[in-house]
Amino acid sequence: MLDLVHASQCGSPNCRKVKGLYRHGMQCKIRASGGCLVCKKMCYLLQLHARACKGSQCSVPHCRDLKEKLRWLQQQSDSR
Protein backbone atom coordinates (compact mmCIF):
# COMPACT_ATOMS: atom_id res chain seq x y z
CA MET A 1 0.00 0.00 0.00
CA LEU A 2 1.09 3.55 -0.67
CA ASP A 3 2.88 5.11 2.28
CA LEU A 4 1.43 8.62 2.45
CA VAL A 5 3.85 9.71 5.19
CA HIS A 6 6.80 8.78 3.02
CA ALA A 7 5.26 10.32 -0.10
CA SER A 8 4.55 13.60 1.67
CA GLN A 9 8.25 13.99 2.50
CA CYS A 10 10.02 12.38 -0.47
CA GLY A 11 11.20 13.93 -3.73
CA SER A 12 11.22 10.88 -6.00
CA PRO A 13 9.13 11.04 -9.20
CA ASN A 14 6.44 8.67 -7.92
CA CYS A 15 6.13 10.53 -4.64
CA ARG A 16 5.93 13.83 -6.52
CA LYS A 17 2.84 12.40 -8.25
CA VAL A 18 1.23 11.90 -4.85
CA LYS A 19 2.16 15.46 -3.89
CA GLY A 20 0.45 16.52 -7.13
CA LEU A 21 -2.69 14.77 -5.90
CA TYR A 22 -2.47 16.77 -2.67
CA ARG A 23 -2.15 19.98 -4.68
CA HIS A 24 -5.06 18.97 -6.89
CA GLY A 25 -7.22 18.51 -3.81
CA MET A 26 -6.35 21.98 -2.55
CA GLN A 27 -7.19 23.62 -5.87
CA CYS A 28 -10.11 21.52 -7.12
CA LYS A 29 -13.42 23.37 -7.32
CA ILE A 30 -15.49 20.20 -7.81
CA ARG A 31 -14.19 18.23 -4.79
CA ALA A 32 -15.07 14.65 -3.91
CA SER A 33 -18.57 15.63 -2.83
CA GLY A 34 -19.16 17.13 -6.28
CA GLY A 35 -17.98 14.01 -8.09
CA CYS A 36 -14.27 14.60 -8.80
CA LEU A 37 -12.81 11.11 -9.19
CA VAL A 38 -9.26 12.23 -8.37
CA CYS A 39 -10.46 13.81 -5.12
CA LYS A 40 -12.54 10.73 -4.27
CA LYS A 41 -9.51 8.47 -4.70
CA MET A 42 -7.32 10.73 -2.59
CA CYS A 43 -10.03 10.98 0.06
CA TYR A 44 -10.19 7.20 0.24
CA LEU A 45 -6.40 6.91 0.58
CA LEU A 46 -6.36 9.57 3.31
CA GLN A 47 -9.15 7.80 5.21
CA LEU A 48 -7.30 4.47 5.04
CA HIS A 49 -4.17 6.17 6.30
CA ALA A 50 -5.99 7.95 9.15
CA ARG A 51 -7.57 4.70 10.35
CA ALA A 52 -4.16 3.04 10.64
CA CYS A 53 -2.07 6.04 11.73
CA LYS A 54 -0.84 6.04 15.32
CA GLY A 55 1.29 9.18 15.15
CA SER A 56 0.20 12.31 16.99
CA GLN A 57 2.30 14.62 14.79
CA CYS A 58 1.64 12.99 11.42
CA SER A 59 2.87 14.92 8.36
CA VAL A 60 0.13 13.63 6.04
CA PRO A 61 -2.29 16.45 5.16
CA HIS A 62 -5.66 16.24 6.94
CA CYS A 63 -4.66 13.15 8.94
CA ARG A 64 -5.38 14.78 12.29
CA ASP A 65 -8.75 16.11 11.07
CA LEU A 66 -9.77 12.72 9.72
CA LYS A 67 -8.73 10.98 12.95
CA GLU A 68 -10.89 13.43 14.91
CA LYS A 69 -13.84 12.78 12.60
CA LEU A 70 -13.39 9.00 12.85
CA ARG A 71 -13.17 9.27 16.65
CA TRP A 72 -16.37 11.36 16.74
CA LEU A 73 -18.20 8.88 14.47
CA GLN A 74 -17.08 6.01 16.71
CA GLN A 75 -18.37 7.82 19.80
CA GLN A 76 -21.71 8.41 18.07
CA SER A 77 -21.90 4.74 17.15
CA ASP A 78 -21.00 3.65 20.71
CA SER A 79 -23.66 5.86 22.26
CA ARG A 80 -26.45 4.18 20.27
Side-chain angles (χ1 to χ4, degrees):
M1 184 176 163
L2 177 66
D3 184 353
L4 294 179
V5 174
H6 169 84
S8 70
Q9 300 170 351
C10 181
S12 76
N14 286 334
C15 292
R16 281 194 300 250
K17 288 179 186 178
V18 174
K19 288 179 185 178
L21 292 174
Y22 287 136
R23 278 191 301 280
H24 168 87
M26 294 177 75
Q27 298 170 352
C28 183
K29 302 291 187 233
I30 299 170
R31 303 277 181 181
S33 60
C36 176
L37 295 179
V38 174
C39 288
K40 283 184 179 187
K41 288 177 184 176
M42 195 62 194
C43 233
Y44 177 72
L45 288 173
L46 289 169
Q47 287 177 6
L48 284 177
H49 167 81
R51 289 178 201 273
C53 181
K54 304 296 184 219
S56 61
Q57 299 297 320
C58 182
S59 63
V60 172
H62 307 293
C63 179
R64 192 176 320 157
D65 298 332
L66 286 169
K67 283 195 268 192
E68 288 288 326
K69 183 177 180 181
L70 290 169
R71 199 173 301 123
W72 181 81
L73 288 171
Q74 184 63 47
Q75 288 173 347
Q76 296 300 312
S77 176
D78 291 348
S79 67
R80 291 184 183 158

